[in-house]
């Protein structure tokens, strides 16, 4: 496993941008109507993660729903190897993503939810140009949240 570092984070993001965005582009091209329904359902579950009595989202439930949403976005891709590589890169990014979730403010949560909604809409709207672009920006935000927290 690579050491946790700024260099590793940026290399991981660069690789994810290539692999994950291509898998999403392919999912948009080839996903079925059932895939579209799965995307809508996964977004809904992510958006509706319950808040505790302090108004904070249940972080464990959010992490699970977030992973499920991103997995579903790629599930329409017919290239199972590409999806597997993309998901392994997402798994490798989990340590960084956990830190970025901890650093998020309420305004960041609102912005992140809007990003997920836009990804849902790009997927179901079959927007081949905008979908991968939105996903790329979403992936880059992990580093931005971490930079803002330091």
């Amino acid at each position: 496993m690579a050491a946790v570092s700024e260099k590793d984070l940026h290399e991981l993001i660069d690789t994810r941008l290539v692999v994950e965005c291509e898998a999403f582009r392919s999912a948009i091209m080839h996903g079925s109507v059932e895939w579209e329904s799965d995307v809508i359902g996964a977004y809904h579950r992510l958006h509706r993660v319950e808040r505790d009595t302090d108004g904070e989202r249940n972080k464990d439930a959010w992490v699970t729903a977030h992973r499920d949403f991103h997995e579903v976005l790629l599930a329409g891709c017919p290239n199972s190897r590409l999806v597997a590589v993309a998901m392994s890169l997402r798994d490798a990014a989990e340590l960084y993503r956990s830190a970025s979730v901890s650093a998020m403010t309420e305004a960041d949560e609102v912005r992140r939810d809007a990003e997920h909604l836009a990804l849902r809409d790009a997927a179901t709207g079959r927007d081949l140009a905008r979908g991968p672009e939105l996903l790329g920006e979403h992936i880059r935000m992990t580093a931005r949240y971490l930079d803002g927290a330091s």
Side-chain angles (χ1 to χ4, degrees), residues 24 31-49 65-66 68-76 113 116-126:
F24 188 38
S32 65
V33 171
E34 288 77 18
W35 168 75
E36 289 179 18
S37 297
D38 291 344
V39 169
I40 292 167
Y43 168 78
H44 183 72
R45 287 185 296 277
L46 176 61
H47 177 70
R48 297 296 297 262
V49 168
H66 186 251
D68 292 349
F69 175 73
H70 282 277
E71 190 170 356
V72 167
L73 284 180
L74 305 184
D113 192 55
H116 291 125
L117 176 60
L119 286 166
R120 182 204 71 185
D121 290 348
T124 59
R126 304 298 179 140

Side-chain angles (χ1 to χ4, degrees), residues 13-23 82:
I13 287 170
D14 289 346
T15 307
R16 286 184 63 204
L17 289 170
V18 173
V19 174
E20 216 167 314
C21 290
E22 182 53 36
L82 184 60

